[in-house]
Amino acid sequence: MGKANINNTAYEERLGTDRMLPLVLRMAMPSVAAQIVNLLYNLVDRIYIGHIPGIGTDALAGIGVTGAIIILISAFSAIVSGGGAPLAAIALGQGDRKRAGQTLGNGFVLLLIFTLLTTTLTYLFMEPLLMFTGASENTVGYAKDYLSIYLLGTLFVETSVGLNTFINTQGRPAIAMYSVLIGAVLNIILDPIFIFVMGMGVRGAALATVISQACSALWIVSFLTSKRASLRLEFRYMRPDRNVISHILALGVSPFIMASTESLVGFVLNSSLEKFGDINVSALAIMQSAMLVVSVPLAGFAQGFVPIVSYNYGHGDRNRVKECFKIVLAIMFTFNFVLVLFMVLFPSLVAAAFTTDEALISTVCRAMPVFLCGMTIFGLQRTCQNMFVALGQAKVSVLIALLRKVILLIPLALLLPKYMGVMGVYAAEGISDATAAILCTLIFAYQFPRILRRM
């Protein structure tokens, strides 16, 4: 083994030897920083669009309904990022580098297949999908303008989201952070140029996103195919292996459900709210953006700690697994609670960042406390659910992923408006978030000691 490769594998070995708290922070904070900047460029899109003179409110609603479709498309990359990367980390912890390489190679092949399927089907059924998600005659044009260009970059989105976690798996969070920063900063720069200077409106916002994602994808692939990577993307490992793919799909279905059900919920919530007027769809777009301020940094934190848990689980070190869990539970719960409580208490500050429309701000102020109240304790579920994925627990991960959105939220969103009107749609989110967090924590408290004993 060459000197360069020895140095590269040293990054992995630190996952099993370094002091836990500094290790968690060192692994997680670059991911958190990258995801915050990534969040900024998603919010910047909506802030710029919401301030387009004359059409801002309708354009914002149009972009809001595309969000459900975009989330569904990117959810397929979560199969590889959330299923493949932990399996690769477990294999590295066991010293099985061939298996780790096959997981990365087969994951890349899956991303290519997902790109072809999602792009083709969305182009074929774009308008019916948009109308189903809550678009109206006033907003569907803006939605089509945005989505038709966004789809040109599906390959870049799938690649950048799907493969970036494999860089973290190698103990290289800073490299993974740069891949997100490149795209985010570029998008923030290009947005006002394309939207306002060149007068492209929502099409300009979509084009800026495509170019930015392309640069991120290029950065990731160039690293994974270089000598700097200890786990490389190689043609010899891209030959489809049924056993490897089945394991990726089995574990990846949980992150896929977590991501895709956000889309399904978007379909249900938008279509329910559209009956009460387009202004409620615009309000939901603002509140879901506010939720991202909490969920995106937590997703970045999970990207940092999951490789640590997976590596030590594969290595058979239960004490380090327990120590990591205690640290991340305290951090994730506190962060989630403080931010959500602020939004519940001061909704007008959040709404004013996205719009100057007084009627829209008033709608958000009425709905946001109800919409977000249950999310105050949701840090519990985010921690426990990601721990199950990190430990390779496919079946229980799927159950918990289904619980919040499919089993609880969708039925509530359809039922409560019959008794509570439009506030019933918003209340469905709060009730399902709190219930799912409590049940997930109870399941984890029961299962975690049993998983450790079987190590």
Side-chain angles (χ1 to χ4, degrees):
M1 183 181 291
K3 182 178 180 181
N5 204 37
I6 292 173
N7 291 335
N8 286 343
T9 57
Y11 285 103
E12 299 166 11
E13 291 164 5
R14 292 174 187 170
L15 300 179
T17 57
D18 283 8
R19 286 180 57 232
M20 186 56 70
L21 179 58
L23 175 63
V24 169
L25 294 177
R26 190 171 65 247
M27 286 289 293
M29 295 318 293
S31 296
V32 171
Q35 290 302 323
I36 289 173
V37 177
N38 193 38
L39 168 64
L40 285 177
Y41 93 67
N42 282 298
L43 296 182
V44 163
D45 264 357
R46 296 190 175 193
I47 290 171
Y48 280 134
I49 289 166
H51 286 84
I52 297 175
I55 65 169
T57 298
D58 282 343
L60 186 61
I63 301 307
V65 297
T66 66
I69 298 173
I70 289 170
I71 289 170
L72 181 59
I73 292 171
S74 62
F76 283 91
S77 63
I79 294 175
V80 176
S81 64
L87 291 173
I90 291 172
L92 291 174
Q94 295 169 336
D96 191 346
R97 307 197 68 81
K98 179 181 178 182
R99 180 74 172 188
Q102 289 175 321
T103 303
L104 173 56
N106 278 249
F108 180 67
V109 172
L110 283 175
L111 292 173
L112 297 179
I113 295 170
F114 295 153
T115 297
L116 179 63
L117 290 175
T118 56
T119 305
T120 303
L121 291 174
T122 307
Y123 267 122
L124 287 175
F125 303 104
M126 185 184 300
E127 187 159 345
L129 282 171
L130 289 170
M131 298 304 291
F132 180 66
T133 61
S136 67
E137 294 298 326
N138 295 328
T139 61
V140 71
Y142 301 114
K144 288 172 66 177
D145 284 348
Y146 187 89
L147 192 58
S148 59
I149 292 178
Y150 181 90
L151 289 173
L152 298 175
T154 301
L155 176 61
F156 308 132
V157 174
E158 297 286 345
T159 302
S160 59
V161 177
L163 296 185
N164 203 34
T165 48
F166 285 89
I167 300 177
N168 261 1
T169 294
Q170 303 174 41
R172 307 293 293 272
I175 301 293
M177 176 184 70
Y178 296 145
S179 69
V180 180
L181 290 179
I182 288 168
V185 173
L186 186 58
N187 195 83
I188 291 171
I189 294 170
L190 293 177
D191 255 341
I193 295 173
F194 289 157
I195 294 173
F196 298 111
V197 178
M198 299 182 67
M200 295 178 66
V202 295
R203 288 177 176 268
L207 182 59
T209 299
V210 169
I211 294 172
S212 304
Q213 290 287 2
C215 293
S216 290
L218 181 62
W219 171 273
I220 292 167
V221 172
S222 65
F223 174 79
L224 288 175
T225 54
S226 73
K227 293 182 179 179
R228 292 182 298 157
S230 60
L231 176 61
R232 296 179 194 165
L233 181 62
E234 301 178 71
F235 281 114
R236 60 176 173 156
Y237 292 139
M238 291 183 194
R239 177 177 295 177
D241 183 302
R242 183 180 300 177
N243 183 261
V244 172
I245 289 175
S246 67
H247 279 82
I248 294 174
L249 294 175
L251 186 59
V253 71
S254 173
F256 171 76
I257 290 171
M258 281 191 277
S260 62
T261 50
E262 294 288 346
S263 172
L264 181 59
V265 167
F267 292 155
V268 174
L269 294 183
N270 282 321
S271 60
S272 297
L273 289 171
E274 197 269 332
K275 299 171 186 175
F276 297 96
D278 287 341
I279 195 168
N280 289 292
V281 179
S282 299
L284 180 65
I286 289 174
M287 291 187 292
Q288 287 179 326
S289 298
M291 289 179 74
L292 292 176
V293 174
V294 182
S295 63
V296 168
L298 288 179
F301 196 86
Q303 287 179 11
F305 87 75
V306 164
I308 300 172
V309 174
S310 297
Y311 184 93
N312 285 285
Y313 178 68
H315 205 59
D317 193 333
R318 61 171 60 89
N319 288 328
R320 284 181 66 81
V321 171
K322 288 164 62 177
E323 185 183 6
C324 186
F325 168 69
K326 292 176 183 177
I327 290 170
V328 299
L329 177 63
I331 293 173
M332 293 180 77
F333 178 81
T334 303
F335 176 86
N336 183 95
F337 180 80
V338 171
L339 256 66
V340 173
L341 187 61
F342 173 82
M343 293 176 189
V344 168
L345 295 176
F346 305 103
S348 61
L349 294 179
V350 178
F354 292 89
T355 182
T356 56
D357 186 329
E358 290 298 329
L360 181 54
I361 292 174
S362 177
T363 302
V364 172
C365 288
R366 288 195 305 273
M368 185 171 281
V370 176
F371 188 75
L372 289 182
C373 62
M375 200 179 175
T376 51
I377 61 170
F378 201 67
L380 295 172
Q381 172 157 345
R382 294 196 178 279
T383 304
C384 296
Q385 193 163 359
N386 281 295
M387 281 294 297
F388 277 129
V389 172
L391 295 168
Q393 303 298 309
K395 292 180 180 178
V396 69
S397 298
V398 172
L399 171 63
I400 292 171
L402 288 169
L403 177 64
R404 177 192 174 202
K405 297 297 186 181
V406 178
I407 298 174
L408 293 172
L409 179 54
I410 292 176
L412 287 173
L414 296 173
L415 180 65
L416 292 182
K418 296 179 181 179
Y419 304 97
M420 300 173 61
V422 66
M423 294 307 291
V425 183
Y426 300 124
E429 179 78 38
I431 294 170
S432 63
D433 285 349
T435 306
I438 293 169
L439 292 176
C440 177
T441 304
L442 293 174
I443 293 170
F444 187 83
Y446 176 79
Q447 289 280 17
F448 189 45
R450 288 160 178 77
I451 294 170
L452 294 179
R453 283 198 295 269
R454 291 198 300 267
M455 283 178 63

